Amino acid sequence: MRLGLDHSYRGLPAEAARTLHTLGRLGGASLPGWVVDAVLGRHRADDVTDALVDADLLRLVGTDPLGQPRYRLPDLVRCHALEQGPDLAALARVVATWTATTELATARLPTTVFTLSSAAAARWWLPRETLERLTADPLAWFEAEHEGLEEAVRVAASSGLGGQAWGLAAAMVPYLDLRCHFGTWQRTHGTALAAARVAGDSYGEAAMLRGLAQVCLYQDRYAESEEMFARARRAFHELGDTRAEATSVCGLGAVAQFRGEHRAALAHFHRALVMFGSVGDLSGEGPTPARPSAGSA
């Protein structure tokens, strides 16, 4: 079998071989067809996808509710691909596509949860008509890609792409909050937090701490939540980001509110309101976090 795979690899065009090397690092979940475009940095890479399917190195496993074809590498092919050197540029482009599409889908969700984004994280855009079709129903898109998004955060973190890892993890928050997917939220933020620390990315570390504090709040872990909100607030203050600091102050207010410490909560919310006003962010005047009602995943 190994000799057969080696022979198949040697007979592949360069783009097809590069695609296999990268797909092998994206986990065992099914992947949408556009991933091949992102790997190669060009649109309409169906010729490469078809060549891999014809060679039985990539399998079409169905079509998802969004109408996207889904593909998966056979296990032996994936293991063989992992032995090849990583193409970091291709991996970064795949994560950049997840990030860009996630942010577009997030903007279409019916939610008012605070979001933080990474200005430094790269974005790679699919064609406009493709994006419109995929994100027309943002919840359906998130449900279809939930597993792939979590894997993409892990891949970015393990590949030394800390900024990409936390940028994608942060972009997922409104969906995870809406659906109460606290397990995914905690795993992605924990992974990205570690990657941000390795990279010395203070802003990314603060953003992930703030997200983890929100999860702790929802799980009634008030002491942990308060400590992480406070650390995030201090970091954002030192970095000079008033809006991000204000979102952390709101978190402290929510902790006090859930504890029944209404006077302290009011003081935090008033302080945050002033801070939002000082940077002209009227969206910060929205409702405070509500206690979720669904289970975690």
Side-chain angles (χ1 to χ4, degrees):
M1 179 63 73
R2 176 60 179 267
L3 290 175
L5 284 174
D6 287 339
H7 178 74
S8 297
Y9 261 84
R10 284 195 295 270
L12 289 174
E15 283 193 329
R18 284 175 55 209
T19 297
L20 277 189
H21 296 168
T22 303
L23 295 185
R25 297 181 181 275
L26 298 179
S30 68
L31 296 166
W34 61 255
V35 168
V36 177
D37 293 17
V39 167
L40 299 174
R42 66 178 175 90
H43 300 309
R44 293 179 290 278
D46 295 345
D47 56 321
V48 174
T49 304
D50 292 343
L52 291 174
V53 171
D54 290 344
D56 202 28
L57 295 170
L58 183 66
R59 290 177 182 164
L60 177 65
V61 294
T63 302
D64 64 28
L66 301 174
Q68 298 180 110
R70 309 290 300 195
Y71 299 91
R72 182 180 286 115
L73 288 183
D75 290 341
L76 287 175
V77 175
R78 183 161 61 87
C79 290
H80 190 274
L82 286 171
E83 296 175 2
Q84 315 306 312
D87 185 337
L88 290 180
L91 284 172
R93 243 187 336 267
V94 172
V95 180
T97 312
W98 282 119
T99 302
T101 312
T102 297
E103 289 178 340
L104 180 59
T106 292
R108 296 179 170 182
L109 288 174
T111 179
T112 57
V113 69
F114 292 122
T115 57
L116 298 170
S117 62
S118 171
R123 278 83 170 167
W124 197 82
W125 297 93
L126 298 171
R128 179 176 295 275
E129 61 273 17
T130 302
L131 286 171
E132 290 296 321
R133 175 173 55 81
L134 294 181
T135 63
D137 184 342
L139 281 175
W141 183 81
F142 274 112
E143 295 297 340
E145 306 299 359
H146 183 123
E147 186 176 354
L149 287 167
E150 181 173 354
E151 185 65 21
V153 172
R154 184 199 64 77
V155 167
S158 64
S159 302
L161 304 170
Q164 292 293 120
W166 85 254
L168 179 55
M172 295 167 62
V173 165
Y175 161 71
L176 299 176
D177 185 275
L178 189 65
R179 285 295 197 235
C180 299
H181 288 310
F182 300 140
T184 303
W185 190 340
Q186 195 157 19
R187 288 189 297 273
T188 54
H189 275 57
T191 297
L193 174 62
R197 284 174 172 162
V198 169
D201 185 342
S202 299
Y203 195 97
E205 182 176 350
M208 295 299 93
L209 281 172
R210 198 223 172 275
L212 287 168
Q214 193 77 29
V215 177
C216 289
L217 174 66
Y218 289 158
Q219 295 175 334
D220 299 336
R221 294 155 54 196
Y222 299 137
E224 294 174 72
S225 179
E226 182 179 37
E227 190 266 339
M228 284 190 279
F229 275 130
R231 287 168 59 193
R233 179 195 177 182
R234 287 193 297 271
F236 287 132
H237 180 77
E238 291 171 3
L239 291 164
D241 190 326
T242 300
R243 179 189 178 274
E245 183 185 355
T247 68
S248 301
V249 174
C250 278
L252 291 170
V255 172
Q257 180 185 15
F258 287 2
R259 280 173 162 169
E261 300 166 357
H262 302 299
R263 193 178 297 274
L266 184 60
H268 283 305
F269 291 141
H270 183 267
R271 187 176 299 113
L273 185 62
V274 172
M275 295 171 74
F276 282 124
S278 72
V279 294
D281 185 353
L282 298 181
S283 66
E285 298 177 3
T288 59
R291 189 177 298 273
S293 58
S296 62

